[in-house]
Amino acid sequence: MQIKGRTALVTGANRGLGLHFAKALLEAGAAKVYAAARNPASVDIPGVVPIQLDVTDPASIAAAAARASDVDLLINNAGAADRGLLLDPQAVDRLRGLIETNGISLLTVTQAFAPVLKRNGGGAVVNVLSVLSWFTAPGLATYSGSKALGWQLTNGLRQELHGQQTRVIAVHPAYIDTDMTKGVTGPKSRPEDVVRIVLEGVEQNLEEILVDEIGRQVKQSLSSATPAYLATSV
């Protein structure tokens, strides 16, 4: 699908990758871009339409879907990150929170917008997941678990929305240079580059988008004798 002329909604658009998505969509010729955030007053992007959306609040999701009834491109970008060991006493509570934000919200937001997309010709859903959907690293197992759930929900939604001509796209980046990874050392992709590759993939009708070399290496390892998820250290 072409970006030009489309009406898009980006969750978590007030900062980080979501902010870059909103800007890039306008630059690519989108007719309208809804920039969704828990606090729409925090959206400061000329040309977008700020809209209130808390991806963990069903009433907020329903209100956003009712207001943005012209959407034909949904980008589920909002997410959360946390670090800690599975054997920590707080691990279960941390996991529940991450599952709600990184996993369940992909389903609830897409459920709300699926009828909108259908009325508008099908369109597409882009789910920003992670290379950690496929393996985990020390201290990141709860985050990985929530992203793995998001990946499987994405696969299921792809099957169920195929009949209404809605394409569902999974994006699996490694670290991106945003405030979420401020304390992380190691290679990071520029958010501008990630967004460019994703929007190119949308226009090429891809269903899975790898934006960096780490993602390509991990994906390739999954069918090898030494898949990344069997590593005991990274």
Side-chain angles (χ1 to χ4, degrees), residues 200-219:
E200 288 173 355
V202 171
E203 294 202 323
Q204 294 165 13
N205 294 322
L206 301 181
E207 293 180 323
E208 182 174 86
I209 300 174
L210 305 177
V211 301
D212 49 50
E213 187 58 29
I214 292 175
R216 288 185 282 272
Q217 289 175 358
V218 170
K219 177 67 185 296

Side-chain angles (χ1 to χ4, degrees), residues 25-112:
L25 285 161
L26 289 174
E27 292 170 0
K32 184 190 293 185
V33 177
Y34 291 100
R38 190 172 291 162
N39 175 15
S42 64
V43 175
D44 185 20
I45 309 169
V48 304
V49 180
I51 186 171
Q52 200 280 329
L53 176 55
D54 179 347
V55 299
T56 65
D57 180 357
S60 174
I61 295 168
R67 178 182 170 192
S69 59
D70 50 350
V71 165
D72 52 11
L73 174 59
L74 170 64
I75 299 183
N76 284 317
N77 162 78
D82 204 349
R83 182 179 287 271
L85 300 178
L86 287 176
L87 297 181
D88 288 344
Q90 304 85 4
V92 172
D93 288 338
R94 191 168 60 244
L95 178 60
R96 286 194 178 106
L98 291 172
I99 283 176
E100 185 69 36
T101 303
N102 296 339
I104 293 173
S105 74
L106 298 183
L107 177 57
T108 52
V109 173
T110 304
Q111 280 181 332

Side-chain angles (χ1 to χ4, degrees), residues 17 20 175-178 188-196:
L17 191 66
H20 287 278
Y175 291 129
I176 304 170
D177 192 9
T178 65
K188 300 178 188 178
S189 297
R190 296 172 65 244
E192 300 91 336
D193 294 335
V194 173
V195 167
R196 174 182 53 79

